[in-house]
């Protein structure tokens, strides 16, 4: 009954393993005991053996008697001996079908042999318990014992060893596994592996013995294994891994070979586990040997199209330099790539060394062995379960039947990587074809998720709270098409957009796409208490159509047509008087900006792109020059010119340098405009100009660089009379700060991506250091306003004609008062003076560092930057951060 009860609780599909552990009594579990010793077979019934008259099987439940007898060589009529019984027992145990076997002879009937068996149970299921650091989906594929198989203690022992090995690969050498059985009815069992994971075994110390020319710290820096301390808190290399130990020996050898020590060897590498099994102490014994210099350097070629003189121009080393195995390897790679570009896919270039131990020199002869010119026989694509073959095939720069070209193979690899559909380390494999002059190119891809559905909320130092909803599929229907929709909301902006891109229109090398959008932007300025105050609202509704065509492998042309309807407004209750925008309250520049307008523009961009990866580039260049002409209909007329340039360079050791430069100029070809008073104002409207600041130039606030108007309190005592001159209080009397933008700008930065340990890298941390510089300028000087006396507004007091009454003190007069043809306004406003700053071409410069993190809440970016060079009026900001996804 107990066995039946246990079987009911732990039956297949009845409960989860965790429930089984809670409900099944601990006493119901039976440890998996070692294999029993083989029993002694029945004694010979007679000194010389006895003839077997009958054979019978008992105790079998699932197996037929004939099946049991088929495993032994005993037969009726044979002579039964002890040796024959031993052989039969061993054969039955070897099947792993039986837990116990006995061979007995019936004394009452000599020669009647009975084989008594107890069958091994059937495994009902396999359960893992206690595994938290290593998930079940990682362990179960390594376990050979499966449900509905015959239970075997030997299989259990093997599975225990495999589980422990998995934990040791993670550095958990204190892990133990206790196998248990839960007996069920019908000769079934549940097998439970009780896992005690223990702590990770860290590397407490690394000792190096025998290094005379390099310090321990320098050699430890070459290793992937790191000592467990505060300096390596984010490193994943502090846990012990025997594979990493072997890798570190190779890294040490590579380092010494780059320093001229051609005879270097690691004599021994020993890892000792501390008595508490928590830490390891690793000791290396090394023999540095002598240091060599390069001897005679030469090249020899047996390839018809590749002469020795050509090879010599590719050599990276010189006679007399310290020997460097890495430089020799780089030279071989360069020569191999050059031969590949000439069609020799399997060029065999070998460095032949001439070691002179007496002179301590190493001569090298680079020998290019004869090889046939190769043609592409076939291009195979495998692993693309979702992506259509043509999406991958059209990125190849080679076709079947073309002469092999190693450079074009590498270019094809980079283009496929840039799709973003497959694994980051994708390579195009080269396999021998059906003949010596044939090669098969294999693209073995691994699909990765290309769809994104993201709902995120964050906080930005620029836009306060942000809520974002977006959905995007960059490989729609496996055709490489991009479909996207997004909606964003923050305190100062709201947007909704839909977009579609077809990279190969009608299977031609034409990219076509379009977007429709609605954007609401609330501009702001800073008041004297450093709070933000909303100024104008800009609502943009429009669409854009795009068409792109490649000109060459690296040059392309992108064209576009954009139609926007803009409505720029100011809050009427704040900035209007008598239904008219008040320059005293808003500023003349804001009053000039309001209105509704239609922008119809056509543009193009010329793009030169050699980046090795468009998503995460580490090498290559990208240049873009674009022009947009507004005025094909609509009410806005301008010519906008922009240019950007990026260079990425791999500095080695994981460091990547990005050099970025951009600039632009916008020209209003309709001529200057006039304001409501007939004064000339800049031809380019406030909303169409260029702006600079965070995030283009870190260390400055958003729109914190360039032309601006700042309104200051007056340095006067008491209440000045009307018309009295105003001296602005530049030290601390800022009332508000408005950025005006400019017609021209330039920006440049140098940014170095800094590598981290594998642990921090896997967590998504990407630190960088940078220098930013730039300026925005070229604006026509705007008209500024000022008020020498405080002005008030009494919104409820009106004269007989319904006009508002204005006054110059706290009481309201019965007549309308004006100053400089501008009416005074309500609720006490201090005397002020506007000052224009910033139309300077001089660069602003900042330095700093930042960290990007792909956090569970979305991308996070933190920047700390110090403005080193600034101009009067610029707004600086030391710290900025952004959490959440913005589009």
């Amino acid at each position: 009954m107990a066995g039946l009860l246990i079987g009911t609780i732990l039956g297949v599909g009845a409960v989860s393993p965790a429930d089984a552990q809670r409900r099944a009594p601990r006493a119901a579990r039976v440890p998996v005991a070692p294999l029993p010793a083989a029993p002694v077979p029945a004694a010979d019934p007679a000194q010389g053996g006895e003839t077997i008259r009958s054979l019978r099987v008992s105790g079998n439940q699932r197996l037929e008697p004939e099946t049991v007898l088929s495993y032994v060589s005993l037969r009726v009529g044979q002579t039964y001996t002890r040796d024959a019984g031993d052989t039969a027992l061993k054969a039955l145990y070897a099947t792993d079908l039986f837990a116990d076997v006995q061979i007995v002879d019936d004394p009452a009937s000599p020669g009647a042999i009975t084989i008594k068996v107890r069958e091994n149970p059937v495994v009902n299921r396999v359960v893992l318990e206690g595994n938290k650091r290593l998930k079940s989906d990682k362990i179960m594929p390594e376990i050979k014992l499966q449900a509905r198989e015959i239970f075997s203690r030997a299989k259990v022992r093997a599975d225990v060893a495999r589980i422990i090995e998995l934990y040791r690969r993670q550095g958990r050498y204190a892990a133990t596994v206790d196998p248990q059985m839960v007996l069920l009815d019908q000769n079934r069992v549940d097998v439970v592996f009780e896992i005690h994971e223990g702590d990770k075994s860290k590397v407490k110390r690394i000792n190096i013995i025998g290094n005379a020319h390099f310090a321990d710290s320098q050699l430890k820096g070459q290793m992937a294994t790191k000592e467990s301390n505060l300096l390596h808190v984010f490193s994943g290399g502090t846990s012990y891994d025997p594979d990493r130990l072997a890798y570190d020996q190779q890294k040490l050898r590579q380092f010494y070979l780059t320093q001229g020590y051609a005879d270097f060897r690691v004599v021994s590498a020993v890892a000792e586990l501390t008595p508490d099994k928590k830490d390891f102490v690793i000791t290396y014994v090394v023999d540095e040997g002598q240091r060599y210099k390069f001897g005679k350097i030469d090249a020899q070629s047996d390839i018809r199209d590749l002469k020795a003189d050509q090879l010599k121009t590719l050599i990276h080393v010189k006679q007399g330099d310290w020997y460097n195995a890495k430089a020799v390897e780089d030279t071989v790679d360069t020569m191999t790539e050059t031969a590949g570009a000439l069609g020799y896919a399997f060029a065999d270039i070998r460095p032949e060394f001439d070691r002179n131990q007496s002179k301590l020199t190493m001569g090298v002869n680079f020998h290019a062995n004869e090889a046939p010119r190769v043609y592409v026989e076939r291009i195979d694509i495998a692993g693309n379960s979702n992506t259509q073959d043509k999406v991958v095939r059209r990125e190849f720069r080679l076709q079947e039947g073309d002469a092999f070209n190693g450079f074009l193979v590498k270019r094809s690899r980079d283009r496929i990587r840039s799709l973003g559909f497959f694994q980051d380390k994708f390579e195009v494999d080269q396999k021998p074809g059906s003949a010596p002059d044939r090669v098969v190119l294999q693209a073995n891809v691994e699909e990765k998720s290309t769809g994104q559905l993201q709902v995120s909320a964050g906080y930005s130092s620029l836009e306060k709270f942000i809520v974002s909803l977006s959905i995007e599929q960059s490989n729609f229907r496996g055709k490489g098409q991009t479909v996207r929709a997004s909606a964003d909301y923050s305190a100062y902006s709201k947007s909704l957009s839909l977009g579609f891109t077809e990279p190969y229109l009608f299977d031609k090398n034409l990219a076509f796409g379009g977007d429709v959008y609605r954007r609401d932007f609330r501009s702001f300025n800073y008041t004297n208490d450093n709070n933000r105050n909303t100024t104008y609202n800009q609502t943009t509704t429009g669409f854009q159509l795009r068409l792109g065509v490649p000109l060459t492998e690296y040059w392309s042309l992108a064209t576009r047509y954009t139609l926007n309807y803009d409505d720029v407004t100011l809050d009427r209750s704040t900035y209007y008087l008598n239904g008219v925008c008040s320059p005293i309250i808003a500023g003349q520049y804001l009053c000039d900006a309001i209105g509704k307008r239609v922008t119809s523009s056509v543009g193009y961009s010329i793009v030169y792109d050699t980046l090795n990866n468009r998503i995460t580039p580490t090498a290559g260049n990208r240049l873009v020059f674009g022009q947009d002409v507004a005025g094909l209909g609509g009410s806005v007329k301008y010519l906008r010119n922009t240019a950007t340039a990026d260079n990425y360079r791999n500095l080695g050791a994981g460091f990547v340098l990005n050099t970025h430069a951009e600039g632009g100029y916008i020209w209003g070809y309709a001529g200057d405009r006039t304001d409501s008073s007939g004064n000339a104002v800049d031809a380019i409207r406030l909303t169409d100009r260029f702006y600079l600041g965070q995030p283009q130039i870190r260390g400055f606030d958003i729109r914190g660089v360039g032309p601006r108007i700042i309104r200051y309190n007056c340095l006067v005592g008491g209440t000045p009379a009307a018309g009295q001159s105003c001296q602005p209080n530049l030290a601390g009397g800022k009332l508000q700060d408005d950025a005006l933008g400019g017609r021209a700008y330039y920006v440049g930065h140098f940014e170095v991506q800094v590598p981290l340990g594998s642990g921090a890298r896997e967590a998504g941390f990407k630190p960088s250091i940078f220098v930013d510089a730039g300026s925005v300028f070229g604006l026509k000087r705007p008209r500024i306003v000022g008020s020498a006396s405080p002005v008030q507004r009494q919104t409820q007091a009106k004269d007989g004609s319904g006009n508002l009454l204005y006054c110059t003190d706290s009481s309201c007069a019965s007549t309308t008062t004006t100053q400089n043809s501008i009416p005074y306004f309500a609720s006490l406003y201090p005397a002020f003076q506007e000052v224009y700053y910033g139309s300077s071409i001089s660069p602003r410069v900042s330095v700093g560092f930042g960290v990007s993190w792909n956090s569970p809440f979305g991308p996070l970016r933190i920047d700390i930057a110090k403005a080193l060079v600034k101009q009067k009026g610029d707004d600086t900001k030391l710290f900025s951060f952004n959490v959440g996804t913005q589009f």
Side-chain angles (χ1 to χ4, degrees):
M1 183 65 181
L4 181 60
L5 178 61
I6 298 171
T8 302
I9 295 176
L10 298 177
V12 176
V15 291
S16 66
D19 289 336
Q21 184 180 15
R22 288 195 301 269
R23 300 180 192 177
R26 299 297 301 178
R29 297 189 179 185
V30 180
V32 178
L35 285 173
V40 179
D44 292 337
Q47 182 68 26
E50 190 172 273
T51 301
I52 300 176
R53 298 183 178 180
S54 64
L55 280 171
R56 189 171 66 87
V57 177
S58 66
N60 55 306
Q61 294 179 324
R62 296 182 304 274
L63 300 175
E64 297 294 331
E66 293 78 7
T67 303
V68 178
L69 293 175
S70 68
Y71 294 121
V72 299
S73 59
L74 300 179
R75 296 293 182 266
V76 175
Q78 292 181 353
T79 299
Y80 178 79
T81 64
R82 183 178 295 273
D83 289 342
D86 281 340
T87 302
L89 287 174
K90 292 177 181 178
L92 291 171
Y93 275 117
T95 63
D96 278 340
L97 297 174
F98 307 103
D100 188 28
V101 180
Q102 295 181 6
I103 300 178
V104 297
D105 185 13
D106 188 357
S109 178
I113 303 299
T114 300
I115 301 176
K116 295 183 177 181
V117 299
R118 180 161 59 86
E119 295 179 0
N120 270 330
V122 174
V123 177
N124 180 53
R125 66 174 179 170
V126 178
V127 179
L128 302 175
E129 292 182 355
N131 57 309
K132 296 180 180 178
R133 301 296 181 181
L134 199 58
K135 300 302 181 183
S136 296
D137 59 354
K138 302 295 184 182
I139 300 177
M140 292 302 292
E142 299 294 327
I143 295 178
K144 303 304 179 185
L145 196 64
Q146 302 294 328
R148 295 183 295 278
E149 289 185 357
I150 302 300
F151 174 84
S152 166
R153 289 178 173 81
K155 291 181 179 178
V156 171
R157 285 203 306 272
D159 289 339
V160 168
R162 289 189 187 94
I163 296 172
I164 290 177
E165 179 61 26
L166 287 176
Y167 275 96
R168 287 189 171 182
R169 290 178 188 173
Q170 281 203 337
R172 298 184 183 276
Y173 279 78
T176 60
V177 180
D178 184 17
Q180 302 281 333
M181 291 190 305
V182 178
L183 304 178
L184 307 176
D185 60 338
Q186 299 178 0
N187 199 22
R188 296 177 302 136
V189 293
D190 281 343
V191 179
V192 181
F193 292 100
E194 294 182 354
I195 300 172
H196 306 278
E197 295 180 319
D199 295 327
K200 260 193 175 183
S201 300
K202 301 290 186 179
V203 176
K204 183 177 182 180
R205 190 169 63 254
I206 299 176
N207 300 320
I208 305 175
I209 301 174
N211 52 313
H213 297 90
F214 298 99
D216 286 4
S217 59
Q218 190 172 0
L219 297 181
K220 291 176 184 178
Q222 305 298 319
M223 302 177 186
T225 302
K226 305 297 181 183
E227 292 176 331
S228 178
N229 53 43
L230 292 177
L231 295 177
H232 302 122
V233 65
F234 292 113
S235 173
T238 56
S239 60
Y240 173 71
D241 185 342
D243 294 335
R244 195 184 294 128
L245 184 67
Y247 174 74
D248 286 340
Q249 295 179 59
Q250 289 297 111
K251 293 290 288 182
L252 283 175
R253 176 165 173 77
Q254 290 174 8
F255 172 73
Y256 271 94
L257 287 178
T258 63
Q259 304 300 318
Y261 295 88
D263 297 327
F264 172 83
R265 65 191 182 98
V266 178
V267 178
S268 65
V270 179
E272 298 176 294
L273 189 62
T274 57
D276 58 5
K277 294 186 177 182
K278 290 184 177 180
D279 299 303
F280 274 90
V281 176
I282 301 175
T283 303
Y284 293 95
V285 179
V286 301
D287 179 9
E288 293 181 326
Q290 297 295 323
R291 194 177 189 188
Y292 287 77
K293 289 187 175 182
F294 279 112
K296 182 181 179 180
I297 306 298
D298 204 355
Q300 178 184 349
S301 176
D302 298 332
I303 298 176
R304 183 185 61 186
D305 299 323
L306 189 60
K307 305 303 180 182
D309 291 342
Q310 291 177 268
L311 289 180
K312 291 179 182 179
T313 63
L314 304 174
I315 296 176
H316 298 163
V317 299
K318 295 180 181 180
Q319 185 173 348
D321 290 347
W322 290 113
Y323 173 74
N324 188 328
K326 181 65 167 58
V328 174
E329 181 181 340
D330 292 342
T331 299
V332 171
D333 290 343
T334 302
M335 292 179 174
T336 302
E337 290 179 2
T338 302
L342 296 174
Y344 297 92
F346 305 111
D348 182 18
I349 299 176
R350 297 185 182 182
E352 299 170 348
F353 297 97
D354 180 17
R355 185 194 304 254
N356 189 323
Q357 293 184 337
S358 61
K359 296 182 179 180
L360 295 179
T361 61
M362 185 77 72
V364 185
N365 178 44
F366 295 95
H367 187 187
N369 295 290
E370 185 178 2
R373 195 170 187 185
V374 176
Y375 297 84
V376 178
E377 178 180 348
R378 192 174 67 252
I379 298 176
D380 293 337
I381 300 171
N384 52 320
S385 56
N386 176 54
T387 305
Q388 297 182 8
D389 270 18
K390 67 177 183 180
V391 174
V392 181
R393 195 173 296 275
R394 66 197 182 192
E395 300 301 328
F396 272 92
R397 304 296 93 183
L398 288 166
Q399 301 299 323
E400 294 167 348
D402 289 353
F404 177 85
N405 187 311
F407 177 77
L408 294 181
V409 171
K410 182 184 291 187
R411 177 62 179 166
S412 302
R413 177 204 65 186
D414 292 344
R415 289 180 64 92
I416 294 173
R417 283 183 179 179
S418 295
L419 292 174
F421 304 160
F422 311 114
Q423 75 272 25
D424 294 335
K425 296 184 179 181
F426 166 79
E427 294 289 343
V428 177
D429 299 325
Q430 304 167 25
K431 303 294 183 183
S434 59
D437 63 344
R438 296 288 184 268
V439 63
V440 175
L441 302 181
Q442 291 186 344
N444 296 312
V445 302
E446 296 177 12
E447 298 264 15
K448 67 180 183 181
S449 176
T450 56
Q452 295 182 357
L453 174 61
Q454 188 166 7
V455 179
S456 60
Y459 184 86
S460 165
S461 59
L462 303 181
E463 298 189 69
K464 302 304 181 183
F465 286 101
I466 302 169
V467 178
S468 174
L469 169 65
S470 68
I471 181 170
E472 179 175 344
Q473 174 55 259
S474 59
N475 191 12
F476 185 57
R477 299 187 299 168
K479 293 183 176 182
Q481 301 168 336
T482 299
V483 179
R484 57 188 172 273
S486 67
D488 300 279
Y489 177 85
S490 72
Y492 289 93
S493 66
K494 296 183 284 293
S495 68
L496 176 66
S497 66
L498 302 172
F500 173 80
T501 301
E502 167 57 73
Y504 280 78
L505 185 64
F506 306 125
D507 289 328
K508 304 295 182 181
N509 205 354
L510 293 172
F512 176 78
D515 295 277
V516 294
Y517 44 82
R518 168 67 179 256
R519 304 188 187 106
D520 292 337
F521 174 70
R522 297 172 61 194
S523 183
F524 54 84
N525 59 22
Y526 287 93
T527 59
N528 57 354
D529 55 1
N530 289 324
N531 290 324
R532 277 192 258 197
N533 174 52
T534 299
T535 53
Y536 67 86
N537 292 282
Q538 180 182 1
T539 300
T540 302
T541 305
F543 69 88
Q544 183 181 80
L545 299 177
R546 304 179 302 277
L547 182 66
V549 57
L551 303 177
T552 66
E553 176 61 25
Y554 299 107
W555 289 93
S556 60
L557 172 67
T559 61
R560 54 191 168 270
Y561 173 75
T562 306
L563 181 65
N564 287 336
Y565 173 76
D566 293 300
D567 186 10
V568 179
T569 59
L570 292 169
D571 183 55
R572 299 182 70 88
S573 63
T574 303
Y575 298 104
Y576 278 60
L577 285 176
N578 287 337
V580 179
C581 177
S582 171
I584 285 290
I585 307 175
Q588 187 64 51
Y589 49 91
L590 286 183
C591 290
D592 294 340
I594 60 175
K596 299 178 181 180
R597 60 189 65 97
V598 175
T599 304
S600 175
S601 67
V602 62
Y604 72 92
S605 294
I606 299 290
V607 181
Y608 174 75
D609 190 344
T610 64
L611 297 180
N612 63 343
N613 191 311
R614 293 172 191 164
I615 301 173
T616 55
T618 58
N621 300 290
R622 180 176 172 86
L623 307 175
V624 181
F625 173 76
Q627 289 187 310
D628 291 273
V629 180
L632 284 80
S635 54
V636 178
K637 300 181 185 298
Y638 61 73
L639 172 63
R640 183 190 298 267
N641 307 273
T642 57
T644 62
D646 279 283
N647 171 263
Y648 290 86
R649 180 174 300 177
N650 193 333
L651 303 179
F655 290 89
V656 177
L657 170 64
N658 171 220
T659 303
H660 172 84
E662 66 174 282
Y665 180 77
I666 184 170
W667 171 55
Y669 60 85
D672 289 340
R673 300 174 293 118
T674 57
D675 60 19
S676 57
S677 301
N679 300 300
V681 297
D682 200 283
I684 304 301
R685 296 180 184 272
L686 185 71
T687 55
D688 295 325
R689 298 169 189 164
F690 297 113
Y691 291 88
L692 278 187
Q694 174 74 19
Q696 300 102 323
I697 302 182
R698 290 155 288 193
F700 293 86
D701 212 331
I702 182 171
R703 298 187 173 187
V705 172
R708 62 204 322 98
I709 287 181
I710 301 179
R711 184 172 289 191
Y712 293 100
N713 279 321
C714 293
L715 281 172
V716 292
T719 303
Q724 181 177 344
S725 62
C726 173
Q727 298 297 320
N729 180 11
L730 304 181
K734 184 188 292 187
L735 291 172
Q736 62 187 48
D737 183 347
D738 285 314
L740 304 184
R743 287 194 180 194
Y745 83 102
Y746 65 88
V747 174
H749 74 236
F750 296 93
E751 185 163 7
V752 177
Q753 299 175 21
V754 180
L756 291 177
S758 58
R761 188 167 57 250
E762 292 171 1
F765 289 98
K766 294 181 180 179
S768 64
I769 56 177
F770 54 82
V771 177
D772 292 343
S775 179
V776 58
F777 54 93
L779 185 66
K780 183 180 179 66
R781 183 179 179 87
R783 189 164 69 93
I784 59 176
V785 297
S787 168
S789 301
V791 280
Q792 300 175 338
R793 176 181 178 191
Q794 181 68 33
T795 57
Q796 303 300 319
K798 297 183 180 181
D799 62 15
S801 302
N803 297 319
L804 291 174
L805 300 180
Y806 301 91
C807 53
T808 58
D809 52 31
S810 56
S811 63
C812 189
S814 59
T815 59
T816 300
T817 304
T818 64
Q819 177 182 332
N820 297 329
S821 302
I822 301 173
Y824 290 170
F825 61 98
S827 127
L828 190 63
Y829 194 96
F832 70 89
Q833 180 63 49
E834 292 181 344
V835 179
Y836 173 64
Y837 290 113
S839 187
S840 170
I841 196 174
S842 300
R844 282 70 156 176
V845 181
S846 65
V847 297
F849 65 91
V851 177
S852 297
W853 177 36
N854 290 326
S855 72
F857 313 103
L860 178 147
R861 175 76 188 186
I862 296 176
D863 288 302
I864 297 178
K866 173 67 174 178
L868 299 181
V869 179
K870 60 181 180 177
Q871 299 295 321
K872 186 178 292 186
D874 290 344
D875 295 328
T876 60
K877 191 162 192 174
L878 178 67
F879 176 81
S880 64
F881 70 97
N882 188 41
V883 181
T885 301
Q886 299 188 61
F887 295 87

